[in-house]
Amino acid sequence: MKLSTSILGIKDDMKKINQIEETSTDYLHLDIMDGNFVSNKVDMYQAYNKKLDIHLMVKDIKAYVERYHTLNPEYITFHIEAIDNPKIMIDYIHSFGCKVGISLCPDTDVNTLIPCLQYVDLVLIMSVVPGSGGQAFLSNSVDKVNELYKLREENSYHYKIEVDGGLNRETIPLVSKADVLVVGSFITNSDNYEQRVEEIQRLIN
Ligand code: DX5
Ligand code: ZN
């Protein structure tokens, strides 16, 4: 299992971001918000040293992809709730050589993703309401992980399953079928990032 560290809680502190980049986390998770799809507005466009996993919580997905693909992220993920024709956007993101993730909010049913599942490289299950860090894990996400795991097995799909929000040492064991975990405040609120990252890696590997 891989660890993707959300730097939302320390986004304005370059020194702390550098410290996260020095840990053994697999990815940096960038939470981009437009003040429209969600009420917060967050822009994190700058160069990073780690592999990037970009989570777009935006309405005008195309405009953000145009800008953020230049950071050469491994994944760009957008929300199914923000778009009418996801296949066009999946192809557009792939055309830049990035892997594509599709995300769903806690109230969105897994079935809405079915037409996209054969095309995407990642499914990001939101286990909190998108918009801010530090919220409590919503337990209906456990069923979604298991459902997406089963759908992948039955249909030989290739997507990775990512869970995002409220993950800590108590909630991580609930999502053991996932492939990538996004952890934000449990890492960025600790006073020793590397120690916390290693604790999580022991839990997931
Ligand atoms: C919420 C973001 C998450 C979140 C993770 O909108 O997508 O990435 O900030 O932070 P924690 O782990 O604090 O829930
Ligand atoms: Zn996120």
Side-chain angles (χ1 to χ4, degrees), residues 151-204:
L151 280 168
R152 183 173 63 187
E153 290 239 300
E154 288 169 354
N155 300 282
S156 307
Y157 294 142
H158 71 281
Y159 56 78
K160 305 273 189 223
I161 301 170
E162 181 174 53
V163 181
D164 182 9
L167 290 171
N168 54 43
R169 62 169 80 86
E170 277 77 42
T171 52
I172 285 171
L174 304 174
V175 292
S176 57
K177 282 198 160 92
D179 306 293
V180 186
L181 298 186
V182 178
V183 180
S185 51
F186 185 54
I187 295 173
T188 55
N189 286 349
S190 84
D191 48 23
N192 186 329
Y193 296 156
E194 178 59 18
Q195 207 174 58
R196 193 48 66 84
V197 165
E198 284 174 16
E199 177 188 345
I200 295 165
Q201 282 169 336
R202 276 194 300 276
L203 276 173
I204 64 180

Short mmCIF file of all heavy atoms in Angstrom, two decimals, residues 151-204:
data_model
loop_
_atom_site.label_atom_id
_atom_site.label_comp_id
_atom_site.label_asym_id
_atom_site.label_seq_id
_atom_site.Cartn_x
_atom_site.Cartn_y
_atom_site.Cartn_z
N LEU A 151 -15.71 -4.95 -7.76
CA LEU A 151 -15.94 -4.61 -9.17
C LEU A 151 -14.66 -4.77 -10.00
O LEU A 151 -14.69 -5.21 -11.14
CB LEU A 151 -16.42 -3.15 -9.28
CG LEU A 151 -17.89 -2.90 -8.97
CD1 LEU A 151 -18.16 -1.41 -8.82
CD2 LEU A 151 -18.77 -3.48 -10.09
N ARG A 152 -13.53 -4.42 -9.40
CA ARG A 152 -12.26 -4.56 -10.11
C ARG A 152 -11.93 -6.04 -10.37
O ARG A 152 -11.52 -6.40 -11.46
CB ARG A 152 -11.15 -3.89 -9.29
CG ARG A 152 -9.79 -3.92 -9.97
CD ARG A 152 -8.77 -3.12 -9.21
NE ARG A 152 -8.53 -3.68 -7.88
CZ ARG A 152 -7.77 -3.08 -6.95
NH1 ARG A 152 -7.21 -1.90 -7.20
NH2 ARG A 152 -7.58 -3.64 -5.79
N GLU A 153 -12.18 -6.85 -9.35
CA GLU A 153 -11.91 -8.29 -9.49
C GLU A 153 -12.79 -8.91 -10.58
O GLU A 153 -12.32 -9.63 -11.44
CB GLU A 153 -12.23 -9.00 -8.18
CG GLU A 153 -11.27 -8.68 -7.07
CD GLU A 153 -10.59 -9.92 -6.56
OE1 GLU A 153 -11.31 -10.82 -6.09
OE2 GLU A 153 -9.36 -9.98 -6.66
N GLU A 154 -14.09 -8.56 -10.53
CA GLU A 154 -15.05 -9.18 -11.43
C GLU A 154 -14.82 -8.78 -12.89
O GLU A 154 -15.13 -9.53 -13.80
CB GLU A 154 -16.48 -8.76 -11.04
CG GLU A 154 -16.94 -9.41 -9.77
CD GLU A 154 -18.25 -8.80 -9.23
OE1 GLU A 154 -18.74 -7.78 -9.79
OE2 GLU A 154 -18.74 -9.33 -8.22
N ASN A 155 -14.33 -7.54 -13.09
CA ASN A 155 -14.23 -7.03 -14.45
C ASN A 155 -12.80 -6.86 -14.95
O ASN A 155 -12.58 -6.33 -16.03
CB ASN A 155 -14.94 -5.67 -14.54
CG ASN A 155 -16.41 -5.79 -14.20
OD1 ASN A 155 -17.20 -6.23 -15.00
ND2 ASN A 155 -16.77 -5.42 -12.97
N SER A 156 -11.84 -7.26 -14.12
CA SER A 156 -10.41 -7.09 -14.46
C SER A 156 -10.05 -5.64 -14.80
O SER A 156 -9.30 -5.38 -15.74
CB SER A 156 -9.99 -7.99 -15.63
OG SER A 156 -10.35 -9.30 -15.39
N TYR A 157 -10.63 -4.70 -14.07
CA TYR A 157 -10.25 -3.30 -14.24
C TYR A 157 -8.87 -3.09 -13.62
O TYR A 157 -8.42 -3.90 -12.80
CB TYR A 157 -11.25 -2.38 -13.53
CG TYR A 157 -12.63 -2.37 -14.13
CD1 TYR A 157 -13.76 -2.29 -13.31
CD2 TYR A 157 -12.83 -2.42 -15.51
CE1 TYR A 157 -15.04 -2.28 -13.84
CE2 TYR A 157 -14.11 -2.41 -16.06
CZ TYR A 157 -15.22 -2.33 -15.22
OH TYR A 157 -16.45 -2.32 -15.75
N HIS A 158 -8.21 -1.97 -13.97
CA HIS A 158 -6.83 -1.79 -13.51
C HIS A 158 -6.68 -0.65 -12.49
O HIS A 158 -5.59 -0.39 -12.03
CB HIS A 158 -5.91 -1.55 -14.71
CG HIS A 158 -6.08 -0.21 -15.36
ND1 HIS A 158 -7.11 0.07 -16.24
CD2 HIS A 158 -5.38 0.94 -15.25
CE1 HIS A 158 -7.01 1.32 -16.64
NE2 HIS A 158 -5.97 1.88 -16.06
N TYR A 159 -7.75 0.05 -12.14
CA TYR A 159 -7.61 1.22 -11.26
C TYR A 159 -7.10 0.87 -9.85
O TYR A 159 -7.37 -0.20 -9.33
CB TYR A 159 -8.96 1.97 -11.14
CG TYR A 159 -10.13 1.15 -10.65
CD1 TYR A 159 -10.30 0.82 -9.30
CD2 TYR A 159 -11.09 0.70 -11.55
CE1 TYR A 159 -11.39 0.08 -8.86
CE2 TYR A 159 -12.18 -0.06 -11.13
CZ TYR A 159 -12.33 -0.36 -9.79
OH TYR A 159 -13.39 -1.10 -9.36
N LYS A 160 -6.38 1.83 -9.28
CA LYS A 160 -6.01 1.74 -7.87
C LYS A 160 -7.14 2.37 -7.05
O LYS A 160 -7.83 3.26 -7.53
CB LYS A 160 -4.73 2.54 -7.59
CG LYS A 160 -3.55 2.16 -8.45
CD LYS A 160 -2.80 1.03 -7.83
CE LYS A 160 -1.50 0.76 -8.55
NZ LYS A 160 -1.27 -0.68 -8.75
N ILE A 161 -7.28 1.94 -5.81
CA ILE A 161 -8.30 2.49 -4.92
C ILE A 161 -7.61 3.36 -3.88
O ILE A 161 -6.71 2.90 -3.16
CB ILE A 161 -9.09 1.36 -4.23
CG1 ILE A 161 -9.76 0.47 -5.29
CG2 ILE A 161 -10.12 1.93 -3.25
CD1 ILE A 161 -10.38 -0.82 -4.73
N GLU A 162 -8.02 4.63 -3.85
CA GLU A 162 -7.42 5.59 -2.90
C GLU A 162 -8.50 6.08 -1.95
O GLU A 162 -9.64 6.30 -2.36
CB GLU A 162 -6.82 6.76 -3.69
CG GLU A 162 -6.14 7.82 -2.83
CD GLU A 162 -5.42 8.88 -3.67
OE1 GLU A 162 -6.06 9.47 -4.57
OE2 GLU A 162 -4.22 9.14 -3.42
N VAL A 163 -8.15 6.25 -0.69
CA VAL A 163 -9.09 6.76 0.32
C VAL A 163 -8.51 8.06 0.88
O VAL A 163 -7.31 8.15 1.15
CB VAL A 163 -9.32 5.74 1.45
CG1 VAL A 163 -10.31 6.27 2.48
CG2 VAL A 163 -9.82 4.42 0.88
N ASP A 164 -9.38 9.06 1.04
CA ASP A 164 -8.91 10.41 1.40
C ASP A 164 -9.82 11.04 2.45
O ASP A 164 -10.99 11.33 2.18
CB ASP A 164 -8.91 11.27 0.13
CG ASP A 164 -8.40 12.68 0.37
OD1 ASP A 164 -7.88 12.96 1.46
OD2 ASP A 164 -8.52 13.50 -0.58
N GLY A 165 -9.24 11.27 3.65
CA GLY A 165 -9.96 12.03 4.67
C GLY A 165 -10.12 11.28 5.98
O GLY A 165 -10.62 10.16 6.02
N GLY A 166 -9.66 11.90 7.06
CA GLY A 166 -9.90 11.37 8.40
C GLY A 166 -9.12 10.10 8.72
O GLY A 166 -9.52 9.36 9.62
N LEU A 167 -8.03 9.86 8.00
CA LEU A 167 -7.28 8.62 8.28
C LEU A 167 -6.22 8.85 9.36
O LEU A 167 -5.49 9.85 9.34
CB LEU A 167 -6.64 8.09 6.99
CG LEU A 167 -7.65 7.53 5.98
CD1 LEU A 167 -6.98 7.22 4.65
CD2 LEU A 167 -8.34 6.27 6.53
N ASN A 168 -6.18 7.92 10.29
CA ASN A 168 -5.21 7.96 11.39
C ASN A 168 -5.00 6.52 11.87
O ASN A 168 -5.52 5.59 11.26
CB ASN A 168 -5.73 8.87 12.52
CG ASN A 168 -7.12 8.45 12.97
OD1 ASN A 168 -7.41 7.26 13.13
ND2 ASN A 168 -8.02 9.42 13.16
N ARG A 169 -4.29 6.35 12.98
CA ARG A 169 -3.97 4.96 13.36
C ARG A 169 -5.20 4.13 13.72
O ARG A 169 -5.17 2.91 13.59
CB ARG A 169 -2.90 4.92 14.47
CG ARG A 169 -3.27 5.56 15.77
CD ARG A 169 -2.24 5.20 16.85
NE ARG A 169 -1.02 6.02 16.75
CZ ARG A 169 -0.86 7.22 17.30
NH1 ARG A 169 -1.86 7.79 17.97
NH2 ARG A 169 0.27 7.87 17.18
N GLU A 170 -6.31 4.78 14.07
CA GLU A 170 -7.54 4.02 14.36
C GLU A 170 -8.31 3.65 13.08
O GLU A 170 -8.91 2.59 13.01
CB GLU A 170 -8.48 4.84 15.25
CG GLU A 170 -8.17 4.78 16.75
CD GLU A 170 -7.00 5.66 17.14
OE1 GLU A 170 -6.91 6.80 16.63
OE2 GLU A 170 -6.14 5.19 17.93
N THR A 171 -8.34 4.57 12.11
CA THR A 171 -9.19 4.35 10.93
C THR A 171 -8.46 3.65 9.77
O THR A 171 -9.11 3.00 8.94
CB THR A 171 -9.79 5.68 10.43
OG1 THR A 171 -8.72 6.63 10.25
CG2 THR A 171 -10.78 6.24 11.43
N ILE A 172 -7.16 3.74 9.72
CA ILE A 172 -6.41 3.09 8.63
C ILE A 172 -6.71 1.58 8.54
O ILE A 172 -6.95 1.06 7.44
CB ILE A 172 -4.90 3.38 8.74
CG1 ILE A 172 -4.62 4.83 8.30
CG2 ILE A 172 -4.06 2.40 7.91
CD1 ILE A 172 -3.21 5.33 8.57
N PRO A 173 -6.76 0.85 9.66
CA PRO A 173 -7.04 -0.59 9.55
C PRO A 173 -8.40 -0.93 8.93
O PRO A 173 -8.60 -2.04 8.44
CB PRO A 173 -6.97 -1.08 11.00
CG PRO A 173 -6.14 -0.06 11.70
CD PRO A 173 -6.44 1.25 11.04
N LEU A 174 -9.33 0.04 8.89
CA LEU A 174 -10.66 -0.22 8.32
C LEU A 174 -10.64 -0.29 6.79
O LEU A 174 -11.56 -0.82 6.18
CB LEU A 174 -11.65 0.89 8.72
CG LEU A 174 -11.84 1.16 10.21
CD1 LEU A 174 -12.72 2.38 10.43
CD2 LEU A 174 -12.47 -0.07 10.86
N VAL A 175 -9.62 0.27 6.18
CA VAL A 175 -9.59 0.35 4.71
C VAL A 175 -8.42 -0.46 4.12
O VAL A 175 -7.74 -0.02 3.20
CB VAL A 175 -9.57 1.83 4.22
CG1 VAL A 175 -10.90 2.50 4.55
CG2 VAL A 175 -8.43 2.62 4.86
N SER A 176 -8.25 -1.64 4.64
CA SER A 176 -7.09 -2.45 4.28
C SER A 176 -7.10 -2.92 2.83
O SER A 176 -6.10 -3.37 2.30
CB SER A 176 -6.99 -3.66 5.21
OG SER A 176 -8.19 -4.39 5.11
N LYS A 177 -8.26 -2.81 2.15
CA LYS A 177 -8.31 -3.24 0.74
C LYS A 177 -7.92 -2.10 -0.22
O LYS A 177 -7.87 -2.32 -1.43
CB LYS A 177 -9.72 -3.73 0.39
CG LYS A 177 -10.01 -5.15 0.89
CD LYS A 177 -11.22 -5.71 0.14
CE LYS A 177 -11.30 -7.21 0.20
NZ LYS A 177 -12.13 -7.67 1.33
N ALA A 178 -7.66 -0.92 0.31
CA ALA A 178 -7.26 0.19 -0.55
C ALA A 178 -5.80 0.01 -0.99
O ALA A 178 -5.05 -0.78 -0.40
CB ALA A 178 -7.44 1.51 0.18
N ASP A 179 -5.41 0.78 -2.01
CA ASP A 179 -4.03 0.72 -2.52
C ASP A 179 -3.23 1.96 -2.17
O ASP A 179 -2.00 1.91 -2.08
CB ASP A 179 -4.05 0.62 -4.05
CG ASP A 179 -4.90 -0.52 -4.53
OD1 ASP A 179 -4.52 -1.67 -4.27
OD2 ASP A 179 -5.97 -0.27 -5.12
N VAL A 180 -3.91 3.10 -2.01
CA VAL A 180 -3.24 4.36 -1.69
C VAL A 180 -4.05 5.05 -0.60
O VAL A 180 -5.27 5.18 -0.72
CB VAL A 180 -3.16 5.32 -2.91
CG1 VAL A 180 -2.32 6.54 -2.58
CG2 VAL A 180 -2.61 4.62 -4.15
N LEU A 181 -3.37 5.49 0.44
CA LEU A 181 -4.06 6.22 1.51
C LEU A 181 -3.57 7.66 1.53
O LEU A 181 -2.36 7.91 1.50
CB LEU A 181 -3.79 5.58 2.87
CG LEU A 181 -4.26 4.14 3.06
CD1 LEU A 181 -4.03 3.72 4.51
CD2 LEU A 181 -5.72 3.97 2.68
N VAL A 182 -4.52 8.59 1.61
CA VAL A 182 -4.17 10.01 1.77
C VAL A 182 -4.25 10.32 3.26
O VAL A 182 -5.29 10.09 3.89
CB VAL A 182 -5.13 10.92 1.00
CG1 VAL A 182 -4.77 12.39 1.22
CG2 VAL A 182 -5.13 10.58 -0.48
N VAL A 183 -3.17 10.82 3.80
CA VAL A 183 -3.16 11.20 5.21
C VAL A 183 -2.68 12.65 5.30
O VAL A 183 -1.64 13.00 4.75
CB VAL A 183 -2.25 10.28 6.06
CG1 VAL A 183 -2.27 10.71 7.52
CG2 VAL A 183 -2.68 8.82 5.92
N GLY A 184 -3.49 13.49 5.94
CA GLY A 184 -3.15 14.90 6.09
C GLY A 184 -2.78 15.24 7.52
O GLY A 184 -1.64 15.08 7.95
N SER A 185 -3.79 15.68 8.29
CA SER A 185 -3.50 16.23 9.62
C SER A 185 -2.83 15.24 10.57
O SER A 185 -2.07 15.66 11.44
CB SER A 185 -4.77 16.79 10.24
OG SER A 185 -5.80 15.84 10.20
N PHE A 186 -3.07 13.94 10.41
CA PHE A 186 -2.42 12.97 11.30
C PHE A 186 -0.89 13.06 11.15
O PHE A 186 -0.15 12.82 12.10
CB PHE A 186 -2.93 11.55 11.00
CG PHE A 186 -2.41 10.49 11.93
CD1 PHE A 186 -2.55 10.60 13.31
CD2 PHE A 186 -1.77 9.36 11.41
CE1 PHE A 186 -2.06 9.61 14.16
CE2 PHE A 186 -1.28 8.37 12.25
CZ PHE A 186 -1.43 8.50 13.63
N ILE A 187 -0.44 13.45 9.97
CA ILE A 187 1.00 13.68 9.77
C ILE A 187 1.38 15.12 10.07
O ILE A 187 2.28 15.38 10.86
CB ILE A 187 1.43 13.29 8.33
CG1 ILE A 187 1.24 11.80 8.10
CG2 ILE A 187 2.89 13.72 8.08
CD1 ILE A 187 1.46 11.33 6.67
N THR A 188 0.65 16.07 9.46
CA THR A 188 1.11 17.47 9.54
C THR A 188 0.88 18.09 10.92
O THR A 188 1.49 19.12 11.24
CB THR A 188 0.48 18.34 8.44
OG1 THR A 188 -0.95 18.24 8.52
CG2 THR A 188 0.92 17.90 7.06
N ASN A 189 0.03 17.48 11.76
CA ASN A 189 -0.12 17.97 13.13
C ASN A 189 0.90 17.35 14.09
O ASN A 189 0.95 17.71 15.26
CB ASN A 189 -1.51 17.67 13.69
CG ASN A 189 -2.58 18.57 13.09
OD1 ASN A 189 -2.26 19.55 12.43
ND2 ASN A 189 -3.83 18.24 13.33
N SER A 190 1.68 16.39 13.59
CA SER A 190 2.64 15.76 14.51
C SER A 190 3.93 16.58 14.53
O SER A 190 4.19 17.36 13.62
CB SER A 190 2.92 14.32 14.08
OG SER A 190 3.91 14.31 13.08
N ASP A 191 4.73 16.40 15.58
CA ASP A 191 5.96 17.22 15.61
C ASP A 191 7.17 16.48 15.05
O ASP A 191 8.27 17.03 15.01
CB ASP A 191 6.22 17.81 17.01
CG ASP A 191 6.11 16.77 18.08
OD1 ASP A 191 6.27 15.58 17.76
OD2 ASP A 191 5.84 17.14 19.25
N ASN A 192 6.96 15.23 14.61
CA ASN A 192 8.05 14.53 13.94
C ASN A 192 7.47 13.79 12.72
O ASN A 192 6.93 12.71 12.84
CB ASN A 192 8.71 13.55 14.91
CG ASN A 192 9.95 12.89 14.32
OD1 ASN A 192 10.03 12.68 13.11
ND2 ASN A 192 10.91 12.58 15.17
N TYR A 193 7.57 14.47 11.56
CA TYR A 193 6.92 13.94 10.36
C TYR A 193 7.43 12.54 10.00
O TYR A 193 6.66 11.65 9.68
CB TYR A 193 7.13 14.88 9.17
CG TYR A 193 6.50 16.25 9.30
CD1 TYR A 193 7.01 17.33 8.58
CD2 TYR A 193 5.38 16.46 10.11
CE1 TYR A 193 6.43 18.59 8.67
CE2 TYR A 193 4.80 17.72 10.21
CZ TYR A 193 5.33 18.78 9.49
OH TYR A 193 4.77 20.03 9.56
N GLU A 194 8.75 12.38 10.00
CA GLU A 194 9.30 11.10 9.54
C GLU A 194 8.84 9.95 10.44
O GLU A 194 8.47 8.88 9.97
CB GLU A 194 10.83 11.16 9.45
CG GLU A 194 11.51 9.86 9.03
CD GLU A 194 11.09 9.30 7.64
OE1 GLU A 194 10.52 10.04 6.83
OE2 GLU A 194 11.31 8.10 7.41
N GLN A 195 8.83 10.23 11.75
CA GLN A 195 8.39 9.19 12.69
C GLN A 195 6.94 8.78 12.41
O GLN A 195 6.59 7.61 12.39
CB GLN A 195 8.50 9.77 14.10
CG GLN A 195 8.73 8.74 15.18
CD GLN A 195 8.98 9.46 16.51
OE1 GLN A 195 8.12 10.25 16.95
NE2 GLN A 195 10.12 9.25 17.12
N ARG A 196 6.09 9.77 12.14
CA ARG A 196 4.67 9.51 11.88
C ARG A 196 4.49 8.76 10.56
O ARG A 196 3.70 7.82 10.47
CB ARG A 196 3.93 10.85 11.87
CG ARG A 196 2.43 10.81 11.92
CD ARG A 196 1.81 9.93 12.97
NE ARG A 196 1.97 10.25 14.36
CZ ARG A 196 1.25 11.10 15.08
NH1 ARG A 196 0.29 11.79 14.53
NH2 ARG A 196 1.48 11.25 16.36
N VAL A 197 5.25 9.19 9.55
CA VAL A 197 5.19 8.51 8.24
C VAL A 197 5.61 7.05 8.40
O VAL A 197 4.95 6.13 7.89
CB VAL A 197 6.08 9.24 7.20
CG1 VAL A 197 6.32 8.39 5.97
CG2 VAL A 197 5.43 10.57 6.80
N GLU A 198 6.66 6.82 9.17
CA GLU A 198 7.13 5.43 9.37
C GLU A 198 6.10 4.62 10.16
O GLU A 198 5.90 3.44 9.88
CB GLU A 198 8.48 5.42 10.08
CG GLU A 198 9.61 5.79 9.12
CD GLU A 198 10.97 5.93 9.81
OE1 GLU A 198 11.11 5.46 10.97
OE2 GLU A 198 11.87 6.53 9.19
N GLU A 199 5.45 5.25 11.11
CA GLU A 199 4.40 4.53 11.87
C GLU A 199 3.29 4.08 10.91
O GLU A 199 2.82 2.94 10.97
CB GLU A 199 3.82 5.45 12.96
CG GLU A 199 2.68 4.79 13.73
CD GLU A 199 1.95 5.73 14.70
OE1 GLU A 199 2.46 6.82 15.01
OE2 GLU A 199 0.85 5.34 15.14
N ILE A 200 2.88 4.99 10.01
CA ILE A 200 1.83 4.64 9.05
C ILE A 200 2.31 3.54 8.11
O ILE A 200 1.58 2.59 7.83
CB ILE A 200 1.39 5.90 8.26
CG1 ILE A 200 0.75 6.91 9.22
CG2 ILE A 200 0.42 5.54 7.13
CD1 ILE A 200 0.59 8.30 8.65
N GLN A 201 3.54 3.66 7.66
CA GLN A 201 4.05 2.64 6.73
C GLN A 201 4.11 1.26 7.39
O GLN A 201 3.86 0.26 6.73
CB GLN A 201 5.39 3.08 6.15
CG GLN A 201 5.14 4.12 5.03
CD GLN A 201 6.38 4.83 4.55
OE1 GLN A 201 7.37 4.91 5.28
NE2 GLN A 201 6.32 5.36 3.35
N ARG A 202 4.40 1.24 8.68
CA ARG A 202 4.37 -0.07 9.38
C ARG A 202 2.94 -0.63 9.43
O ARG A 202 2.72 -1.82 9.32
CB ARG A 202 4.92 0.08 10.81
CG ARG A 202 6.46 -0.02 10.86
CD ARG A 202 6.94 -0.23 12.29
NE ARG A 202 6.54 0.85 13.18
CZ ARG A 202 7.20 2.01 13.33
NH1 ARG A 202 8.32 2.22 12.65
NH2 ARG A 202 6.76 2.94 14.15
N LEU A 203 1.96 0.28 9.58
CA LEU A 203 0.55 -0.16 9.62
C LEU A 203 0.05 -0.70 8.29
O LEU A 203 -0.81 -1.57 8.25
CB LEU A 203 -0.35 1.02 9.99
CG LEU A 203 -0.56 1.41 11.44
CD1 LEU A 203 -1.35 2.72 11.51
CD2 LEU A 203 -1.32 0.31 12.17
N ILE A 204 0.57 -0.15 7.20
CA ILE A 204 -0.01 -0.48 5.89
C ILE A 204 0.81 -1.48 5.09
O ILE A 204 0.36 -1.97 4.06
CB ILE A 204 -0.25 0.79 5.02
CG1 ILE A 204 1.04 1.51 4.65
CG2 ILE A 204 -1.21 1.73 5.71
CD1 ILE A 204 0.83 2.77 3.79
#
